[in-house]
Amino acid sequence: MVVREDDLHELPFKEFRFVEFPNVVAGNFVSGLLVDIIGVVDQVVFRHVSSKNTRVVFRMKDLSGEILSCTLWEHYCAQFLSYLNERGDDGPMVVILTHARIKDAQGSYPTSVSNSFKASKLLINDPILEIQEFKERLLDLGVEVSRVLLPGDQASSQVSGGSQLSSKDSFLSKAEAKTILEINAISEVDLLSVFILYSLQLEVEFG
């Protein structure tokens, strides 16, 4: 019997094999292996919702207090933001993400995880034993958790709305992927214009 990836999300998940955040951060994992993670949302860092690109980036903590960055794409992102809109910033927000992909650290960017295209399953504060036990141990261990949303950031969490971004993030969020041939076809004048406009944005923001 062959199980396709697009069939996996229909299967029940009766057993989780959670990885420890310190092992992921330290690079102690098998490259390409899908993992299950559980953690409490420490802070929503970035969100972007458009017809072309939908994603949210947030920090998670496990019971050791280790922080791991997580990115959710498309309908996983929509599910996360929808829950966030409904519950606001009240109490710990414990997340389980199954079949998560691990992305190696690159330069200044730390190791992170993200959902698989269709194989992952996202559970947020679901009334299941694993999440209930995590919340209890979180309280017993006294693990400190930051506000899920930054002050004044509540309005920007709406699924239909945009996010409050800096000039740099706003600029990057509008970037479009291009092939090498398309990049070569861009004239030097166009590239210079983009550089000047971006420089002016930064000058206005930072003086």
Side-chain angles (χ1 to χ4, degrees), residues 60-175:
M60 298 178 68
K61 275 187 179 180
D62 66 0
L63 295 175
S64 72
E66 185 71 59
I67 294 176
L68 184 64
S69 177
C70 180
T71 301
L72 298 178
W73 297 85
E74 306 309 332
H75 71 274
Y76 295 99
C77 169
Q79 179 185 343
F80 181 91
L81 293 182
S82 177
Y83 181 89
L84 192 61
N85 291 341
E86 294 174 1
R87 58 86 67 177
D89 197 19
D90 182 25
M93 186 172 170
V94 178
V95 170
I96 289 178
L97 182 64
T98 68
H99 292 76
R101 297 183 182 276
I102 301 177
K103 185 176 181 180
D104 294 330
Q106 296 181 354
S108 61
Y109 294 96
T111 302
S112 61
V113 296
S114 66
N115 62 273
S116 298
F117 181 57
K118 288 186 177 181
S120 293
K121 185 173 183 179
L122 178 63
L123 306 175
I124 308 175
N125 278 352
D126 285 33
I128 61 175
L129 181 61
E130 290 80 2
I131 289 181
Q132 291 174 352
E133 289 183 343
F134 187 96
K135 286 184 176 181
E136 291 175 0
R137 294 189 61 194
L138 190 70
L139 182 62
D140 292 340
L141 294 172
V143 178
E144 294 185 3
V145 180
S146 304
R147 290 174 59 88
V148 173
L149 295 174
L150 294 174
D153 201 27
Q154 181 68 42
S156 68
S157 69
Q158 300 299 319
V159 175
S160 59
S163 55
Q164 295 176 344
L165 305 176
S166 66
S167 295
K168 179 180 178 181
D169 288 334
S170 178
F171 181 86
L172 294 176
S173 69
K174 298 175 182 178

